[in-house]
């Protein structure tokens, strides 16, 4: 087992203070009951008679606090999109937890790859693409979710979201490879892997859903926006590493965690690894801000963005900042990473 030598108490907070306001969507209260109803209808809860195996017991779903997460990362989303974001987050957690219990814990490399690849067929940029008959709660959830998410979205949005989910699905299988080989990835490999396994690309899509503003097509393939999205996803994903350490390493037998990666590079224990991770996150926040404040105005002038496109980009950036501040507030407060989450 790759555990740190210094088994100090769990770090229950990211230790990072983001320079963006935390706001809460006013529709939060409608989600608490609705969240559980959808999960039960999909068969994700173990009380569901149609699929008694499920993914979680109801209290475990409540511990994740998905409605609170949705309300904080999408404070400006209208009610209908807010419900969809909530369902998408429930599904993301369901896949993550199911894949861990069904394949990672059993070192089932072959089964994990087969499952991930099959799920990829459930989501394509064209929501009318034929899909297999769902056979479990996770497949049923994606089959139900994707047509509703895709309806009325631009092709670029559908392409980006489906690509992010494909990377998320297969990224879990790549993590499984490391677990089966008892191999902690190096830092460069880990960053690339974490961008995939965090479903990082969905963050940009959720920010667009919440604000009604997409990144203008003129900017999508520029180096500035590519770097901006990389920094955005890195801040999203790396903040999870310290708060999830206890659950991943001690409860799940995970090996793909930044704390372990940094231990292999620098030695030392959890406190030192957390300090280095905090520095990495803060560097990525500064890079995100520098791109927003300096590079985006420069590239906007170079490509002659219209006033409406400039406003669209500004609104999306504000949505991305709200996403990050809300995510980190959730990291610091959710019960998901406290105690033996998978114990029941």
């Amino acid at each position: 087992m790759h555990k740190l030598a210094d088994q100090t108490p769990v770090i229950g907070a990211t230790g990072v203070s983001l320079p963006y306001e935390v706001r809460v969507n006013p529709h939060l209260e409608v989600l608490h009951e609705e969240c559980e109803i959808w999960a039960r209808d999909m068969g994700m809860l173990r009380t569901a008679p149609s699929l008694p195996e499920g993914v979680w017991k109801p209290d475990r779903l409540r511990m994740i606090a998905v409605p609170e997460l949705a309300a904080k990362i999408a404070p400006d989303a209208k009610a209908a999109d807010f419900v969809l974001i909530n369902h998408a987050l429930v599904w993301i957690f369901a896949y993550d937890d199911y894949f861990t219990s069904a394949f990672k814990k059993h070192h089932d490399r072959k089964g994990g790859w087969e499952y991930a690849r099959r799920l990829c067929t459930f989501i394509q940029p064209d929501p009318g693409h034929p899909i297999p008959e769902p056979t479990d709660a996770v497949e049923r959830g994606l089959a139900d979710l994707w047509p509703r998410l895709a309806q009325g979205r631009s092709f670029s949005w559908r392409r980006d979201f489906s690509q992010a989910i494909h990377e998320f699905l297969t990224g879990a299988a790549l993590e499984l490879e490391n677990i089966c080989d008892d191999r902690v990835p190096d830092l460069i490999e880990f960053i690339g892997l974490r961008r995939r396994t965090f479903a990082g690309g969905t963050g940009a899509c959720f920010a667009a859903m919440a604000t009604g503003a997409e990144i203008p097509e003129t900017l999508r393939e520029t180096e500035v926006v590519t770097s901006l999205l990389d920094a955005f996803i890195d801040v999203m994903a790396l903040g999870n590493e310290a708060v999830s350490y206890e659950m991943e390493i001690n409860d799940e037998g995970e090996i793909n965690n930044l704390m372990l990666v940094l231990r292999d590079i620098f030695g030392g224990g959890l406190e030192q690894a957390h300090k280095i991770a905090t520095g990495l996150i803060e560097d990525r926040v500064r890079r995100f801000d520098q791109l927003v404040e300096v590079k985006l105005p420069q590239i906007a002038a170079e490509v002659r963005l219209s006033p409406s496109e400039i406003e669209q980009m500004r609104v999306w950036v504000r949505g991305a900042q709200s996403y990050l501040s809300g995510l980190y507030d959730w990291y610091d407060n959710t019960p998901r990473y406290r105690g033996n989450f998978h114990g029941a």
Side-chain angles (χ1 to χ4, degrees):
M1 291 293 293
H2 291 264
K3 295 187 179 182
L4 296 174
D6 176 13
Q7 289 298 310
T8 51
V10 177
I11 297 173
T14 60
V16 176
S17 178
L18 297 183
Y20 320 122
E21 179 186 6
V22 177
R23 297 178 296 124
V24 178
N25 193 294
H27 302 294
L28 170 59
E29 288 308 312
V30 305
L31 281 192
H32 285 102
E33 183 177 357
E34 199 277 340
C35 174
E36 195 165 315
I37 289 173
W38 185 75
R40 181 176 286 108
D41 287 346
M42 295 301 104
M44 295 173 183
L45 300 184
R46 292 180 187 164
T47 56
S50 59
L51 283 171
E53 74 279 7
V55 178
W56 311 286
K57 290 182 179 179
D59 63 323
R60 293 304 179 186
L61 173 60
R62 294 177 200 128
M63 283 180 66
I64 303 174
V66 180
E68 285 76 12
L69 174 59
K72 290 172 181 177
I73 66 171
D76 300 311
K78 295 179 180 178
D81 282 336
F82 186 44
V83 169
L84 284 173
I85 290 170
N86 178 72
H87 288 177
L89 293 170
V90 171
W91 181 83
I92 286 170
F93 283 115
Y95 174 73
D96 187 46
D97 287 347
Y98 178 75
F99 194 91
T100 294
S101 62
F103 305 107
K104 286 184 176 180
K105 284 192 171 183
H106 301 288
H107 290 202
D108 184 0
R109 194 190 316 244
K110 182 175 182 290
W113 273 111
E114 289 176 350
Y115 189 69
R117 287 170 176 149
R118 174 178 161 84
L119 267 172
C120 284
T121 66
F122 283 78
I123 178 168
Q124 303 293 337
D126 175 11
H129 184 82
I131 63 172
E133 183 68 25
T135 60
D136 63 23
V138 177
E139 291 183 353
R140 182 180 289 107
L142 189 55
D144 175 81
L145 175 66
W146 178 232
R148 294 186 293 121
L149 269 176
Q151 185 175 9
R153 313 290 172 195
S154 70
F155 175 80
S156 295
W157 190 97
R158 300 196 311 269
R159 176 200 62 205
D160 293 348
F161 194 91
S162 61
Q163 179 181 340
I165 295 299
H166 280 219
E167 291 179 350
F168 172 57
L169 294 168
T170 56
L174 289 171
E175 286 186 335
L176 175 57
E177 291 279 354
N178 289 334
I179 292 170
C180 291
D181 295 339
D182 195 29
R183 175 181 170 273
V184 178
D186 62 50
L187 183 58
I188 294 174
E189 179 188 359
F190 175 82
I191 295 297
L193 181 61
R194 201 68 181 104
R195 287 172 181 170
R196 296 173 63 120
T197 60
F198 198 76
T202 62
C205 295
F206 288 145
M209 286 181 69
T211 61
E214 294 188 37
I215 298 172
E217 282 291 336
T218 314
L219 295 180
R220 280 183 179 272
E221 303 303 322
T222 64
E223 180 65 29
V224 171
V225 167
T226 298
S227 297
L228 181 75
L229 290 174
D230 283 349
F232 174 58
I233 293 169
D234 289 344
V235 177
M236 288 167 53
L238 297 182
N240 179 264
E241 297 305 293
V243 296
S244 66
Y245 169 80
E246 172 93 351
M247 183 183 83
E248 290 187 354
I249 307 304
N250 294 335
D251 297 344
E252 298 178 351
E254 183 58 81
I255 208 169
N256 302 278
N257 185 282
L258 182 60
M259 302 298 109
L260 297 184
V261 174
L262 294 175
R263 187 282 309 271
D264 274 11
I265 297 172
F266 299 104
L270 184 58
E271 184 176 353
Q272 180 184 0
H274 184 252
K275 183 177 180 180
I276 295 169
T278 298
L280 288 174
I281 296 167
E282 290 171 344
D283 283 345
R284 299 307 280 156
V285 173
R286 284 191 288 270
R287 178 59 172 160
F288 179 85
D289 288 343
Q290 189 257 352
L291 288 162
V292 167
E293 295 164 10
V294 178
K295 297 299 183 180
L296 272 181
Q298 290 176 354
I299 193 68
E302 288 175 14
V303 303
R304 298 182 179 180
L305 280 190
S306 68
S308 63
E309 289 174 319
I310 291 172
E311 176 63 11
Q312 186 177 350
M313 191 72 228
R314 185 196 67 79
V315 171
W316 182 89
V317 165
R318 185 168 186 259
Q321 292 169 337
S322 293
Y323 189 106
L324 292 177
S325 62
L327 180 63
Y328 271 64
D329 189 78
W330 177 83
Y331 281 151
D332 290 346
N333 292 286
T334 177
R336 173 173 171 82
Y337 302 117
R338 293 170 176 80
N340 184 7
F341 179 81
H342 289 284

